[in-house]
Amino acid sequence: MRPGAAATRAAGEERALTSVAAGERYEAEEPVDLPRLWHITLSVSGEAAPLHEVRRALEQLAHDHPFLLTSRYADDHAEIRYWEEARDLHDAAAVALRLWGEHRQTAGLPPWEIVGLEVIDRDTYHQRVSEGYGPPPATPVGVHPY
């Protein structure tokens, strides 16, 4: 509340929300902040861990994060590829950078650090694949050793 303004609501009373007319200059356009699909490649590495534990943890991560496409792993590094829905690249990258840490406990992931992140939009992903210089489509889907 502005200094010197009189209180118009009782304490705890909710304020009614009202809309503002669009006006004459409004053109019916799609909102620019609709969610889009982003292809994420997250690379992690650290101290060597038993392969069976790394695999089990990545399988649990795939179960916990249903959009996970594929994971490749070795005893000291892994690469996770998946699609993320987000408003823009910044949001997609922020979610991707939290993925490993937020699932470390629940999935039993190794205490590795993120060493690489690539976030590209759907069109760029498909363009790269069609031109032969992008990552191959994530097949077979799942968790696989390098």
Side-chain angles (χ1 to χ4, degrees):
M1 183 179 339
R2 288 176 291 139
T8 58
R9 291 178 280 153
E13 182 181 347
E14 290 190 28
R15 195 171 82 173
L17 297 177
T18 59
S19 63
V20 177
E24 294 175 18
R25 295 175 38 197
Y26 174 76
E27 295 177 22
E29 296 177 0
E30 290 290 318
V32 292
D33 61 350
L34 284 177
R36 296 168 38 195
L37 283 177
W38 301 89
H39 187 266
I40 309 292
T41 303
L42 184 69
S43 301
V44 294
S45 71
E47 296 284 325
L51 279 176
H52 70 280
E53 289 180 18
V54 174
R55 180 180 181 90
R56 187 212 46 79
L58 290 172
E59 287 173 343
Q60 183 63 47
L61 177 63
H63 180 267
D64 294 347
H65 196 279
F67 295 109
L68 191 71
L69 288 177
T70 188
S71 298
R72 298 187 305 167
Y73 66 93
D75 65 349
D76 63 348
H77 65 282
E79 178 185 88
I80 300 164
R81 294 174 47 201
Y82 67 98
W83 289 97
E84 184 67 61
E85 188 176 45
R87 180 176 50 89
D88 59 23
L89 182 137
H90 298 283
D91 289 350
V95 171
L97 289 170
R98 290 193 310 265
L99 178 74
W100 191 261
E102 287 180 355
H103 289 275
R104 184 172 289 153
Q105 291 289 338
T106 58
L109 297 167
W112 295 343
E113 68 175 327
I114 296 171
V115 296
L117 174 66
E118 180 183 53
V119 180
I120 57 175
D121 68 353
R122 185 178 177 158
D123 292 339
T124 303
Y125 173 83
H126 288 296
Q127 179 183 7
R128 284 183 179 182
V129 170
S130 70
E131 293 176 356
Y133 65 89
T139 53
V141 172
V143 176
H144 307 281
Y146 272 99

